[in-house]
């Protein structure tokens, strides 16, 4: 067994098993820091033991047992720990406890995303405990100083203890609201990495991994499937979104470079969600993404279907950004004047004041309509509001074309 083979096996186990091991230890000890410490110790032990004894047939079971033994040993060393072990033993024999305990990862996901925690803390805690990203990696991804991120994690764990936040899947009456909060965290993680990948461990990869876990743990819930499908369909074309720091529009992207395997999986996942007949915003967004991803060329895009999907999305999850996207779909399906009328209506409402994509969208539609002077004015307005260098480069290029 070579050193490289062992390191590769440990790295694979870290990615696949970290969340499950930490979740199991938190379920056993109710001590978040102890759980993370003992999980880390188990992986360190693997680097020492596996070269000598060989890689176990079930690496996850080996790591979980090692981490659990270390946690139990550490609790036995002090009075408080021994008391905690006795309390946990009593709880495990509680006759009122449910006969079937859900996967600990599901309990951990809902605890990390509890609404009593600030949203930023939910994101950081989810990444730290479920993916094993270091504090430094999380801080870098969210453009935050490492000490500040460390404090955020400490406060989140303290809040869970002091507020008595239960380590459980919420009851049925609270599940829809709490599930929405979990999905929002995973989607934010993905979007953060979509534009700013985090080195070798892109946040998009972590978000897809967590969405896959959640969908697998809640197979009768359609929205986790919808989110997973949406993330897969977006990720399939991420590599074609920019070229040398300049944004490439969907219409101009090289579709031969899109990941067809990922697109096929995204469509298949969405097909599993739709028969459950509970449409939600993530399923609708995934359906829109599927329309784009499955069109062989821009001219084949089913714009009437996309416009209808945006109309339904606006009905169940109203948003001026959704209305702006619907305006584009209407322009492409019913004609530029129809889309421009909707964009002008949005501009008059003031709901998207300061949002650079409103004048950018208006500029593009004016350009398509041949109204060059008006398009130039709108592009300049969008350029003043553009938040990133990639956006500014794209808009500058459009101006130059005019």
């Amino acid at each position: 067994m070579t050193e490289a083979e062992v390191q590769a096996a440990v790295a694979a186990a870290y990615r696949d098993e970290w969340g499950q091991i930490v979740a199991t230890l938190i379920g056993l000890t109710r001590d978040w820091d102890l759980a993370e410490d003992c999980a880390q110790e188990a992986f360190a032990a693997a680097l020492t033991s596996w070269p000598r004894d060989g890689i176990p047939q079930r690496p996850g079971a080996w790591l979980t047992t090692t981490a659990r033994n270390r946690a139990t040993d550490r609790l036995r060393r002090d009075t408080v720990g021994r008391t905690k072990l006795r309390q946990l033993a009593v709880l495990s024999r509680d006759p009122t406890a449910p006969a079937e305990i859900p996967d600990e990862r599901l309990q951990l996901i809902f605890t990390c995303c509890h609404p009593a925690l600030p949203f930023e803390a939910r994101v950081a805690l989810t990444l730290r405990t479920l993916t094993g990203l270091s504090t430094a990696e999380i801080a870098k991804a969210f453009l935050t100083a490492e000490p500040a991120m460390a404090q955020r994690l400490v406060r989140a764990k303290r809040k869970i203890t002091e507020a008595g936040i239960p380590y459980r899947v919420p009851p049925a009456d609270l599940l829809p609201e709490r599930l929405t909060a979990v999905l929002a965290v995973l989607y934010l993680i993905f979007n953060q990495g979509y534009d700013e990948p985090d080195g070798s461990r892109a946040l998009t990869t972590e978000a897809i991994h967590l969405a896959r876990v959640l969908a697998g743990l809640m197979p009768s819930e359609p929205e986790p499937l919808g989110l997973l499908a949406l993330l897969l369909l977006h990720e399939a074309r991420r590599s074609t979104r920019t070229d040398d720091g300049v944004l490439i529009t969907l219409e101009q992207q090289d579709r031969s470079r899109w990941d067809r395997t990922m697109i096929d999986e995204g469509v298949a996942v969405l097909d599993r969600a739709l028969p459950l007949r509970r449409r939600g915003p993530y399923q609708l967004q995934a359906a829109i993404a599927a329309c784009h991803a499955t069109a062989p060329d821009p001219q084949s895009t089913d714009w009437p279907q996309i416009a209808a999907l945006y109309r339904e999305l606006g009905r169940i999850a109203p948003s001026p950004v959704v209305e702006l996207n619907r305006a584009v779909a209407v322009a492409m399906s019913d004609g530029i004047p129809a889309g421009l009328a909707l964009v002008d209506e949005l501009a008059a409402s003031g709901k998207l004041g300061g949002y650079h994509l409103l004048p950018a969208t208006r500029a593009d539609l004016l350009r398509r309509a041949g109204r060059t002077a008006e398009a130039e004015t709108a592009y300049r307005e969008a350029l003043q509001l553009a938040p990133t260098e990639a956006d500014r480069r794209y808009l500058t290029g459009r101006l130059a074309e005019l």
Side-chain angles (χ1 to χ4, degrees):
M1 186 70 60
T2 67
E3 182 179 350
E5 288 174 329
V6 170
Q7 289 180 347
V10 172
Y14 190 90
R15 163 138 186 87
D16 296 338
E17 306 292 347
W18 171 268
Q20 179 64 71
I21 294 167
V22 171
T24 299
L25 293 183
I26 292 175
L28 172 68
T29 67
R30 299 301 193 269
D31 188 323
W32 291 61
D33 291 328
L34 178 64
E36 289 184 15
D37 287 348
C38 292
Q40 290 281 15
E41 291 175 10
F43 282 97
L47 287 171
T48 302
S49 300
W50 292 4
R52 181 187 66 241
D53 303 330
I55 298 171
Q57 237 181 354
R58 297 172 57 208
W62 188 99
L63 290 160
T64 301
T65 300
T66 302
R68 186 169 55 228
N69 290 342
R70 288 174 182 264
T72 303
D73 288 344
R74 286 173 61 169
L75 285 173
R76 283 175 179 154
R77 290 176 196 161
D78 62 89
T79 304
V80 174
R82 288 195 294 273
T83 301
K84 181 180 285 189
L85 279 174
R86 286 195 295 271
Q87 290 172 341
L88 292 170
V90 171
L91 286 173
S92 68
R93 295 195 299 269
D94 182 359
T96 65
E100 293 186 7
I101 306 297
D103 188 298
E104 291 94 343
R105 285 174 299 174
L106 195 56
Q107 296 172 320
L108 182 56
I109 289 171
F110 278 100
T111 304
C112 288
C113 299
H114 196 282
L117 299 173
F119 191 79
E120 296 83 0
R122 298 181 214 170
V123 173
L125 199 57
T126 299
L127 284 170
R128 180 75 192 104
T129 57
L130 282 155
T131 72
L133 281 176
S134 69
T135 304
E137 288 175 307
I138 300 169
K140 180 183 176 184
F142 285 88
L143 305 177
T144 303
E146 184 177 349
M149 183 59 70
Q151 280 298 108
R152 186 177 295 172
L153 288 164
V154 168
R155 286 194 295 268
K157 294 172 185 176
R158 185 185 302 140
K159 175 77 170 180
I160 289 171
T161 301
E162 294 176 350
I165 293 175
Y167 186 68
R168 65 174 186 180
V169 177
D173 60 319
L174 296 178
L175 186 59
E177 175 188 352
R178 292 283 303 281
L179 181 56
T180 298
V182 170
L183 296 173
V185 167
L186 301 190
Y187 197 29
L188 182 141
I189 292 171
F190 179 86
N191 284 330
Q192 184 69 21
Y194 199 51
D195 292 319
E196 299 179 34
D198 183 34
S200 61
R201 299 191 68 192
L203 290 182
T204 55
T205 301
E206 302 302 341
I208 290 172
H209 170 67
L210 291 172
R212 204 185 294 281
V213 169
L214 184 63
L217 295 173
M218 305 184 75
S220 63
E221 290 292 334
E223 277 292 78
L225 291 167
L227 177 63
L228 175 57
L230 176 62
L231 302 192
L232 289 167
L233 291 164
H234 280 332
E235 183 71 1
R237 63 180 184 84
R238 182 161 68 101
S239 64
T240 66
R241 292 181 66 244
T242 60
D243 182 19
D244 196 24
V246 179
L247 286 176
I248 306 298
T249 63
L250 182 63
E251 186 178 22
Q252 296 176 317
Q253 288 172 18
D254 181 356
R255 298 183 182 222
S256 68
R257 292 174 52 208
W258 288 359
D259 189 326
R260 290 294 158 188
T261 300
M262 201 171 281
I263 289 171
D264 290 344
E265 183 186 359
V267 171
V269 170
L270 182 60
D271 286 343
R272 284 162 49 200
L274 295 180
L276 297 173
R277 298 187 178 278
R278 279 178 284 150
R279 278 194 171 188
Y282 292 107
Q283 294 170 75
L284 290 169
Q285 290 176 78
I288 292 166
C291 286
H292 288 298
T294 56
D297 51 65
Q299 295 73 30
S300 304
T301 305
D302 191 347
W303 286 109
Q305 175 69 5
I306 292 173
L309 288 166
Y310 271 123
R311 188 178 301 111
E312 177 67 7
L313 182 60
R315 186 185 67 79
I316 66 173
S319 159
V321 173
V322 170
E323 288 306 309
L324 181 61
N325 288 326
R326 185 173 78 87
V328 173
V330 168
M332 301 303 288
S333 61
D334 298 346
I336 301 299
L340 266 174
L342 293 175
V343 171
D344 289 340
E345 186 180 322
L346 261 178
S349 73
K351 293 177 181 177
L352 289 176
Y355 185 55
H356 77 288
L357 289 181
L358 176 61
T361 299
R362 188 170 185 274
D364 185 65
L365 295 181
L366 289 167
R367 176 186 63 82
R368 292 172 186 270
R371 295 159 62 177
T372 306
E374 294 172 86
E376 182 178 349
T377 300
Y379 274 128
R380 293 191 184 281
E381 180 185 351
L383 190 56
Q384 289 180 334
L385 298 171
T388 69
E389 183 61 27
D391 289 311
R392 287 188 286 273
R393 287 185 180 185
Y394 166 75
L395 293 167
T396 300
R398 283 299 196 190
L399 267 173
E401 289 174 7
L402 288 178

